[in-house]
Amino acid sequence: MEPSPAKGKPQGRLLVSTTLDAKDELEERLERCVGIVTSLTNGLSEREANDAITANVCKGPQQHEEVCLGLFALLLTEPPQAQRCYRDLTLVNRDGMNVILIKINQILMEKFLKLQDVCRTQLVWLVRELVKSGVIGADGILMTLMKQIAGGDITNKNLWLAENVLDILVEQREWVLKSGMLIAMSVYTYLRLIVDHGTPALLVLRQKEVDFCIGLLREKFMECFIIGRDLVRLLQIVARIPEMELLWKDLLHNPQALSPQFTGLLQLLTARTSRKFLACRLTPDMETKLLFMTSRVRFGQQKRYQDWFQRQYLSTAESQSLRCDLIRYICGVVHPSNEVLSSDILPRWAIIGWLLTTCTSNVAASNAKLALFYDWLFFSPEKDSIMNIEPAILVMHHSMKPHPAITATLLDFMCRIIPHFFPPLEGQVRQGVFNSLTFIMEKRVLAHLAPLFDNPKLDRELRSMLRERFPEFCSSPSPPTEGRDEVKMEESVSLEMDNHVLLDKEDGCYDNTEAAFSDDEEEINNKGNKKREFRFHPIKEAIIEEPADITPYVDQLDDMMKEKVLQLQKGSDTETHCEVMQEIVDLILEEDFDSEQMSTLASCLAELFKGHFRGDVLPDEITEESLEESVCKPVCLVFRNLCQMQEDNSGFSVLLEMLAELYQKQPKIGYHLLYYLKASKAAMGKMSLYESFAQATALGDLHTCLMMDMKACQEDDIRLLCYLTPSIYTEFPDETLRSAELLNMIVAVIDSTQLQELMCHVMIGNLVMFRKDSVLNILIQSLDWETFEQYSTWQLFLAHSIPLETIIPILQHLKYKEHPEALSCLLLQLRREKPSGEMVKMVLSRPCHPEDQFTTSILRHWAAKHDDVLGEHIKALLIKNNNLPRKRQSLRSSSSKLAQLTLEQILEHMDNLRLNLSNTKNSFFTQTPILQALQHVQASCDEAHKMRFSDLFSLAEEYEEPSSKPPKSRRKAPASSPRSRKGAATPVSNEEESASSSASEEEDSKPKAPKRKRKGSSAVASDSD
């Protein structure tokens, strides 16, 4: 029998689950919607049922959604009703199936692995029907479905999915040809899958995949061209297949046969592959796990996560091919923020090192190394990112000490790939590797390469080869200067190429599956285990202006638009460009403009205007005239037209869509828009336009878009970043004032002059960078930043008029060896403040350490300047903590990672202060409140504390020594003794005598002391009487 918890579950369940699993929210909702549809149609004929659900849908959006989701769930769980449910769905939906597409996408991304077999089959059937019906958005669903086809997996379920999706693509070929992105994505997917389907049992499927890819590559090559250089990598791997070999030869020797716009292999190899393609070959589950490891797992604690990933995805012989996909994804897609880079989170190089060392196939190992170095081969600092080439150099650097064999095999591969990747392009490959190494040093990923290239741990032959290939990096500790020993670009000669790159000899390092990567000791600075990030600054160098190449796109435009774009290309002066651009904007705003051309037009404009996005945007001398002149560029015409429109204008959304498309091709457009909105008079008060732009982009989120644009601005133009900062913080306070990420972007690159300017903006009132409710959290996050960044942050904070008590709890987070920057800034600020109860409490809550002088130094200062106030606060804290049970104090101090105040701590700090003041004339410890508090504590503390702090308590004992005063003083003393009122454990007579005699001594030795406390004055007067 079935277990009892399962009895209540419906027969046609959506998801596979155990009796221990909680009810899935999505499944529950779909079941409710099924109940609604069933209740509407139960017992009715087909026509009556159709009328009933149509009438219900017309009631409102909620009823529409419930009926659509109910039919959708029935379609998935009840195959016999699928045709009828789909027909009803097409009849009753009012939103172009949008609600269904959203739910399909959610299931594919989050629930696909848990789907019942029947539901999975029905889901693929539904996607096929949506494609047949030409539903808008079905191409996106199909691409998400393709993402679920796992690489390196030849289980029956995965093969079934690969074959069924391929059938949809083949059957609906005409529909597929309408979407350039779908063409490119499906070619990239199936070129990769061909590698896994080489066994005799799978040859029929592989042949279908080969025919499909060849057909699209020959018919729509320029649509496939957008894949970039990774298209060549995939074609190389399958080039031995006869049909593919013919295409490969055309690619090398007769590129015009594929497309008139295709000039040759170099054109493809210099195009960087978009993240979309690199990410499409990982299933959502793989992607989630990898992102978790690179953002949440601490370095040194990764083994159990790697073991799980290995068991799940890399345990079979076929799965070896997946390593290339993972490495390309990590290099090209996983780009951690500065905050993650400077933390102890598992670095990318460690994951790649693990993937390399656990590889068991020589061919897969060589392909994995090619995937790691692929962006090096034709690297251009203008087009490519440092983040794509950083993992390879760091794997070699960090492996040198613990695992020199890993470093050796990678260095050997780097040397041998230059002449063997493609002999006719050897010069370009050498230049690409040279550019990579130069850029690595300029960005300070490594300070210099000689310790890596000329290391005695490498064998003599390899070191000799490195000196021969890279003499510039083997001897000098500083990077080579421009123009000196520069590698010359060699012209392409005859295009002869072996189908595969040379497979380097294995030296056994991949057999070491237990190899572990550890941080180099030299990377740990003397402040503890905090890793410091390197500052990335843009390279200031002469840029060779290349003519804009829009041939792959311009023919896809209609005649009128094509004519204007070509005029734009031929125009030479800015005024002409602006006139033509305005005409293009007018064409876009016409009602008959074909929106499908938007992406192509954006590609043309991005290519034509690439020169406008180079160099500094902000004029050297900022005046009204120079600012207006700086925004008189063709691309700014789009901004100006947007500013002149109302948001409810139909043209407004069209231009925003245009701008969003342009943003995908040229990400710098974002901060150029911010600059225009601040600098142009025409955009006065229109900064909110940026929010509309952010929501129109693929990101769809103001915060994400703003952070990305400011990051791009930081990398390109620091002056502009400082210029935009006041406006950004003023106009978008909810996105900026809580963002430590944005603040770090700013302080990571500004110099002392720019810091001073920002402080002036704050004090004038033009800029607010901190708010009371978030400043403490931001300062805590800043504790891991570089020294100058922290000092800059504190200077900016101090320029604000935020009470110090707002951030004083940060003292609980500060350790004297790890956080000297914050401690020194706090010390100087506390020095200016009159101590409050909270301040004194936080200062005393710091753990005592012989080397940590923070508490003693500030207490000494306060004892000199505000001794009466400090005395009262310390007295209150001593008495309060003394009255707490000892067990509660112990529990409180051990239950939290933050520093907690205990009686022992207060006494330790007081004793340190006593020693520090012992050789001075300071009379802090002769104050009545301090001596009374010490009496209170001494009377009730244990013998161990009395012995440990005997010198401290002796001050109170001296105060209690009996004097030769008349006995009547003892009768009057209780009026001035707070101890007697509190009902202390010691006899009352001792208390009275102590207060009286001590007060008498105070008057004799220092007449002014009693004036500080009114409570003590009556006792002194009594003795004097």
Side-chain angles (χ1 to χ4, degrees):
M1 288 181 65
E2 291 292 322
S4 56
K7 287 181 181 177
K9 296 178 181 177
Q11 184 67 28
R13 290 197 63 201
L14 187 70
L15 306 177
V16 175
S17 63
T18 67
T19 54
L20 299 176
D21 289 334
K23 193 78 171 175
D24 186 83
E25 288 183 14
L26 174 63
E27 188 173 19
E28 273 192 321
R29 187 177 181 210
L30 291 177
E31 284 174 1
R32 284 198 303 271
C33 293
V34 167
I36 291 169
V37 171
T38 305
S39 66
L40 287 171
T41 59
N42 202 16
L44 301 179
S45 66
E46 218 171 281
R47 179 184 292 276
E48 291 169 339
N50 194 21
D51 291 342
I53 59 175
T54 302
N56 193 61
V57 162
C58 294
K59 291 179 180 178
Q62 182 180 344
Q63 289 78 6
H64 172 263
E65 186 172 344
E66 288 170 347
V67 168
C68 288
L69 292 180
L71 291 170
F72 169 63
L74 280 170
L75 187 152
L76 294 183
T77 55
E78 303 292 342
Q81 299 184 43
Q83 287 283 2
R84 182 181 61 79
C85 288
Y86 183 72
R87 184 199 63 203
D88 291 346
L89 201 53
T90 56
L91 290 173
V92 302
N93 87 88
R94 301 285 187 271
D95 62 352
M97 293 283 194
N98 191 50
V99 68
I100 301 301
L101 295 178
I102 290 171
K103 277 293 171 272
I104 294 175
N105 201 60
Q106 183 183 352
I107 289 173
L108 287 174
M109 293 301 290
E110 301 172 12
K111 315 287 183 185
F112 189 77
L113 295 178
K114 291 185 176 181
L115 275 182
Q116 296 271 15
D117 289 345
V118 170
C119 298
R120 186 181 285 111
T121 303
Q122 287 303 107
L123 187 63
V124 173
W125 178 86
L126 176 58
V127 172
R128 188 191 303 266
E129 294 302 310
L130 292 171
V131 170
K132 280 183 185 177
S133 304
V135 173
I136 296 173
D139 54 342
I141 295 296
L142 193 55
M143 285 189 272
T144 308
L145 186 59
M146 273 195 286
K147 188 175 171 67
Q148 284 290 357
I149 308 171
D153 181 358
I154 55 171
T155 58
N156 289 335
K157 281 185 180 180
N158 200 57
L159 291 172
W160 173 86
L161 183 60
E163 188 163 12
N164 274 271
V165 173
L166 182 61
D167 288 341
I168 295 173
L169 292 167
V170 172
E171 289 166 10
Q172 305 300 321
R173 182 182 174 83
E174 291 303 316
W175 175 82
V176 170
L177 295 180
K178 294 177 183 177
S179 171
M181 182 54 71
L182 180 59
I183 292 170
M185 198 70 78
S186 55
V187 166
Y188 189 89
T189 298
Y190 281 97
L191 274 178
R192 165 64 188 87
L193 294 175
I194 287 170
V195 181
D196 299 332
H197 303 157
T199 60
L202 301 176
L203 286 180
V204 174
L205 174 59
R206 190 181 81 167
Q207 190 58 49
K208 284 172 67 177
E209 292 168 338
V210 169
D211 293 342
F212 171 74
C213 291
I214 294 239
L216 286 183
L217 282 164
R218 288 203 175 276
E219 188 174 339
K220 294 285 183 180
F221 184 79
M222 290 316 292
E223 280 76 2
C224 301
F225 180 89
I226 64 172
I227 295 172
R229 60 174 66 114
D230 276 78
L231 177 60
V232 178
R233 183 178 63 84
L234 295 179
L235 284 170
Q236 272 184 291
I237 297 171
V238 299
R240 299 288 188 190
I241 299 171
E243 295 90 335
M244 285 294 182
E245 194 168 8
L246 295 173
L247 179 77
W248 182 248
K249 288 179 178 177
D250 281 345
L251 189 72
L252 301 182
H253 308 300
N254 189 17
Q256 298 288 311
L258 298 173
S259 172
Q261 289 87 37
F262 182 47
T263 58
L265 195 65
L266 186 61
Q267 183 187 3
L268 194 51
L269 286 168
T270 52
R272 179 178 168 186
T273 298
S274 167
R275 293 180 174 196
K276 293 179 184 177
F277 297 105
L278 299 178
C280 81
R281 281 297 73 234
L282 268 64
T283 65
D285 189 57
M286 290 180 199
E287 199 169 0
T288 302
K289 299 299 188 296
L290 266 186
L291 291 174
F292 178 82
M293 282 198 279
T294 55
S295 63
R296 303 287 293 280
V297 177
R298 297 190 180 282
F299 189 47
Q301 300 174 4
Q302 69 269 27
K303 188 174 187 307
R304 66 193 183 103
Y305 301 100
Q306 290 175 347
D307 290 346
W308 182 93
F309 200 93
Q310 177 93 17
R311 287 194 305 272
Q312 190 78 5
Y313 296 115
L314 297 170
S315 57
T316 64
E318 301 81 24
S319 64
Q320 297 300 313
S321 62
L322 179 61
R323 294 176 193 272
C324 295
D325 301 331
L326 295 171
I327 290 172
R328 291 299 293 146
Y329 178 83
I330 292 168
C331 290
V333 180
V334 182
H335 291 176
S337 66
N338 283 343
E339 189 177 354
V340 173
L341 288 173
S342 63
S343 69
D344 58 354
I345 296 298
L346 180 64
R348 297 186 300 160
W349 62 261
I351 299 178
I352 290 174
W354 161 66
L355 290 171
L356 291 173
T357 55
T358 54
C359 192
T360 56
S361 158
N362 287 351
V363 173
S366 189
N367 286 335
K369 283 181 278 187
L370 179 63
L372 179 60
F373 282 103
Y374 205 61
D375 288 311
W376 288 51
L377 306 184
F378 296 89
F379 182 82
S380 166
E382 294 173 21
K383 297 179 182 177
D384 294 294
S385 168
I386 185 69
M387 299 298 281
N388 291 22
I389 60 174
E390 178 220 57
I393 199 73
L394 290 183
V395 170
M396 294 189 284
H397 171 70
H398 288 290
S399 305
M400 181 59 83
K401 285 189 177 180
H403 307 290
I406 295 171
T407 303
T409 192
L410 291 174
L411 286 171
D412 182 71
F413 183 88
M414 184 178 72
C415 290
R416 296 180 187 276
I417 196 70
I418 293 172
H420 292 104
F421 178 74
F422 185 29
L425 294 182
E426 181 182 351
Q428 283 86 340
V429 175
R430 184 184 289 111
Q431 182 67 53
V433 176
F434 180 88
N435 288 345
S436 301
L437 293 170
T438 304
F439 206 51
I440 281 166
M441 290 199 299
E442 288 176 347
K443 293 296 188 186
R444 307 291 292 171
V445 177
L446 293 183
H448 46 87
L449 299 172
L452 180 65
F453 285 6
D454 202 18
N455 197 295
K457 290 190 177 184
L458 303 175
D459 64 64
R460 187 177 301 172
E461 183 183 350
L462 178 56
R463 287 162 66 189
S464 174
M465 182 160 58
L466 285 164
R467 278 194 294 271
E468 179 187 340
R469 292 265 194 266
F470 310 108
E472 305 88 349
F473 305 105
C474 290
S475 54
S476 172
S478 58
T481 56
E482 289 186 44
R484 179 167 63 84
D485 299 328
E486 187 175 357
V487 180
K488 294 181 179 178
M489 294 286 283
E490 296 180 16
E491 293 296 324
S492 255
V493 285
S494 60
L495 293 171
E496 295 295 335
M497 179 181 182
D498 188 25
N499 289 337
H500 284 47
V501 299
L502 178 75
L503 302 184
D504 63 333
K505 296 179 180 178
E506 298 301 317
D507 55 9
C509 85
Y510 295 114
D511 298 330
N512 183 7
T513 56
E514 294 301 316
F517 284 73
S518 61
D519 246 331
D520 196 331
E521 297 92 325
E522 295 170 3
E523 293 299 308
I524 302 175
N525 64 27
N526 58 9
K527 284 183 62 177
N529 291 332
K530 286 193 295 183
K531 288 195 290 181
R532 294 299 200 181
E533 72 218 70
F534 293 104
R535 295 189 186 182
F536 287 2
H537 296 289
I539 300 172
K540 301 294 183 185
E541 58 182 13
I543 295 170
I544 301 170
E545 194 70 51
E546 296 178 359
D549 180 18
I550 57 172
T551 47
Y553 316 108
V554 72
D555 289 334
Q556 299 174 38
L557 300 172
D558 62 35
D559 293 340
M560 183 71 75
M561 187 64 77
K562 180 178 178 181
E563 180 187 342
K564 297 299 178 189
V565 169
L566 290 175
Q567 283 181 28
L568 205 58
Q569 184 182 29
K570 292 172 185 175
S572 55
D573 61 291
T574 304
E575 191 176 345
T576 307
H577 281 161
C578 289
E579 290 173 1
V580 178
M581 188 64 205
Q582 184 59 54
E583 292 174 5
I584 289 175
V585 170
D586 294 339
L587 284 175
I588 293 171
L589 295 175
E590 289 181 2
E591 290 184 7
D592 58 349
F593 176 70
D594 185 1
S595 60
E596 291 184 5
Q597 294 187 69
M598 200 73 83
S599 178
T600 307
L601 177 60
S603 299
C604 291
L605 295 178
E607 182 68 22
L608 290 171
F609 296 149
K610 60 185 179 183
H612 296 170
F613 297 102
R614 295 198 186 112
D616 294 338
V617 179
L618 198 63
D620 292 333
E621 185 179 350
I622 300 177
T623 63
E624 285 189 13
E625 293 76 15
S626 63
L627 288 174
E628 280 300 323
E629 188 178 345
S630 68
V631 294
C632 290
K633 295 178 179 178
V635 73
C636 294
L637 270 165
V638 184
F639 306 155
R640 185 178 301 170
N641 279 272
L642 275 170
C643 290
Q644 292 170 352
M645 288 182 178
Q646 298 295 327
E647 291 196 17
D648 54 359
N649 189 319
S650 60
F652 183 82
S653 58
V654 174
L655 276 187
L656 271 185
E657 184 186 350
M658 173 71 222
L659 214 53
E661 287 287 347
L662 196 55
Y663 185 61
Q664 286 191 332
K665 322 292 181 189
Q666 176 52 270
K668 296 181 183 183
I669 201 84
Y671 72 77
H672 277 72
L673 173 58
L674 285 169
Y675 173 67
Y676 178 84
L677 293 173
K678 176 168 183 180
S680 175
K681 289 181 181 178
M684 190 75 70
K686 296 278 189 178
M687 189 61 83
S688 59
L689 178 64
Y690 178 81
E691 186 171 354
S692 302
F693 161 74
Q695 290 166 356
T697 64
L699 300 170
D701 173 55
L702 174 59
H703 179 79
T704 307
C705 195
L706 185 61
M707 292 305 116
M708 288 183 65
D709 289 341
M710 294 303 280
K711 181 64 179 173
C713 182
Q714 180 220 39
E715 292 173 354
D716 291 348
D717 192 341
I718 298 166
R719 282 184 67 238
L720 179 59
L721 178 74
C722 295
Y723 177 76
L724 291 176
T725 295
S727 298
I728 297 304
Y729 274 90
T730 303
E731 296 291 339
F732 309 113
D734 293 337
E735 312 301 329
T736 55
L737 291 174
R738 291 187 177 90
S739 176
E741 180 188 357
L742 177 60
L743 181 63
N744 186 233
M745 281 182 210
I746 297 166
V747 297
V749 293
I750 57 174
D751 57 26
S752 53
T753 305
Q754 290 161 335
L755 172 62
Q756 190 262 344
E757 289 173 359
L758 288 176
M759 290 174 67
C760 290
H761 279 300
V762 172
M763 298 188 71
I764 291 169
N766 295 339
L767 173 61
V768 177
M769 300 182 79
F770 298 102
R771 199 160 53 187
K772 284 185 180 181
D773 61 349
S774 57
V775 61
L776 178 60
N777 185 44
I778 289 177
L779 288 176
I780 290 171
Q781 291 183 59
S782 75
L783 297 177
D784 292 330
W785 299 352
E786 290 187 16
T787 294
F788 182 76
E789 294 168 11
Q790 289 195 55
Y791 280 133
S792 298
T793 301
W794 280 96
Q795 292 292 313
L796 289 168
F797 165 72
L798 295 175
H800 292 69
S801 300
I802 297 176
L804 195 64
E805 284 203 346
T806 307
I807 58 103
I808 200 68
I810 197 175
L811 270 174
Q812 296 177 293
H813 298 263
L814 303 183
K815 298 177 182 177
Y816 75 99
K817 277 192 174 179
E818 294 179 25
H819 308 121
E821 302 93 344
L823 283 169
S824 59
C825 291
L826 264 176
L827 187 63
L828 292 175
Q829 191 61 16
L830 284 168
R831 189 172 182 270
R832 301 190 183 106
E833 300 280 333
K834 183 177 181 180
S836 66
E838 185 67 14
M839 286 180 189
V840 175
K841 178 184 174 182
M842 288 297 169
V843 166
L844 289 173
S845 68
R846 292 188 56 72
C848 291
H849 194 282
E851 296 178 29
D852 184 5
Q853 298 294 318
F854 179 89
T855 300
T856 305
S857 59
I858 191 60
L859 288 178
R860 176 183 169 125
H861 176 78
W862 281 340
K865 299 287 185 183
H866 310 283
D867 55 345
D868 52 347
V869 178
L870 179 62
E872 282 295 330
H873 290 318
I874 289 179
K875 173 187 173 182
L877 290 170
L878 273 171
I879 293 175
K880 178 182 177 183
N881 281 272
N882 187 51
N883 291 337
L884 285 175
R886 296 286 181 264
K887 285 185 179 179
R888 190 189 298 179
Q889 288 197 42
S890 174
L891 285 171
R892 188 176 65 174
S893 61
S894 61
S895 63
S896 171
K897 292 181 180 178
L898 298 180
Q900 297 288 343
L901 185 61
T902 63
L903 177 64
E904 188 173 352
Q905 267 182 303
I906 302 175
L907 292 173
E908 280 189 281
H909 287 307
M910 294 289 289
D911 205 33
N912 289 339
L913 180 61
R914 178 189 63 78
L915 290 170
N916 193 272
L917 293 175
S918 59
N919 296 324
T920 69
K921 294 181 180 180
N922 191 295
S923 58
F924 177 73
F925 282 98
T926 63
Q927 292 185 98
T928 302
I930 294 294
L931 296 174
Q932 289 172 343
L934 289 174
Q935 287 173 357
H936 187 98
V937 174
Q938 185 185 22
S940 59
C941 71
D942 54 34
E943 289 301 320
H945 281 85
K946 286 179 181 178
M947 288 289 291
R948 183 176 175 188
F949 302 108
S950 58
D951 290 340
L952 185 62
F953 289 135
S954 69
L955 299 174
E957 288 171 5
E958 292 170 8
Y959 180 73
E960 291 173 346
E961 283 181 5
S963 63
S964 57
K965 300 296 176 186
K968 65 179 180 179
S969 66
R970 297 180 185 175
R971 288 193 298 274
K972 292 190 178 183
S976 64
S977 175
R979 286 273 304 168
S980 62
R981 291 197 299 274
K982 291 182 180 288
T986 54
V988 175
S989 59
N990 289 347
E991 290 260 337
E992 294 169 352
E993 181 179 316
S994 167
S996 174
S997 61
S998 177
S1000 175
E1001 287 177 16
E1002 275 295 291
E1003 182 169 1
D1004 292 340
S1005 62
K1006 188 180 179 189
K1008 290 183 181 178
K1011 292 181 183 177
R1012 293 192 184 105
K1013 288 304 296 174
R1014 291 181 181 177
K1015 289 182 181 178
S1017 62
S1018 61
V1020 174
S1022 171
D1023 288 342
S1024 303
D1025 189 6

